[in-house]
Amino acid sequence: MKFVDEATIRVEAGKGGNGASSFLRLKFEPLGGPDGGDGGDGGSVFLKADESINTLVDYRYIRTYKAENGEKGGSRNCTGKSGQDFPLTMILKRGVDYILYL
């Protein structure tokens, strides 16, 4: 196994889902009003230290990591499903040099 202590990777958080636009229409309610649900939250990416890892060789071959997107909302105030978080495991006592926000 090759020892790698430096890696450049691209990380993206998930996007939030779209909200739904719908109106409540009932036979005996003349002013029903809106009842569209919110979109789900996008997943987050966070760093997690792990004692069992001693090299960054996994990040040498897979360079793009992305959390799940949130799903769209539905009618009747149904909120969309949130995206799953994505933990990145890192070497213990190894810092991140810089983060570039795009």
Side-chain angles (χ1 to χ4, degrees), residues 40-73:
D41 295 331
S44 300
V45 177
F46 56 92
L47 299 176
K48 182 175 118 177
D50 191 358
E51 293 178 356
S52 64
I53 296 175
N54 58 5
T55 181
L56 294 174
V57 73
D58 296 334
Y59 298 118
R60 187 174 190 96
Y61 301 108
I62 301 174
R63 295 183 181 245
T64 304
Y65 297 91
K66 189 172 186 305
E68 288 183 356
N69 294 333
E71 293 183 2
K72 66 178 185 172

Side-chain angles (χ1 to χ4, degrees), residues 13-99:
K15 295 182 176 121
N18 295 329
S21 175
S22 67
F23 290 92
L24 178 65
R25 301 292 292 175
L26 296 173
K27 185 174 182 180
F28 298 108
E29 293 238 6
L31 300 174
D35 74 337
D38 297 332
D41 295 331
S44 300
V45 177
F46 56 92
L47 299 176
K48 182 175 118 177
D50 191 358
E51 293 178 356
S52 64
I53 296 175
N54 58 5
T55 181
L56 294 174
V57 73
D58 296 334
Y59 298 118
R60 187 174 190 96
Y61 301 108
I62 301 174
R63 295 183 181 245
T64 304
Y65 297 91
K66 189 172 186 305
E68 288 183 356
N69 294 333
E71 293 183 2
K72 66 178 185 172
S75 60
R76 297 184 184 173
N77 291 325
C78 291
T79 304
K81 181 180 173 188
S82 296
Q84 190 173 6
D85 293 338
F86 189 83
L88 283 172
T89 55
M90 299 293 291
I91 299 173
L92 197 61
K93 298 181 184 176
R94 176 70 178 157
V96 177
D97 290 337
Y98 64 92
I99 297 173

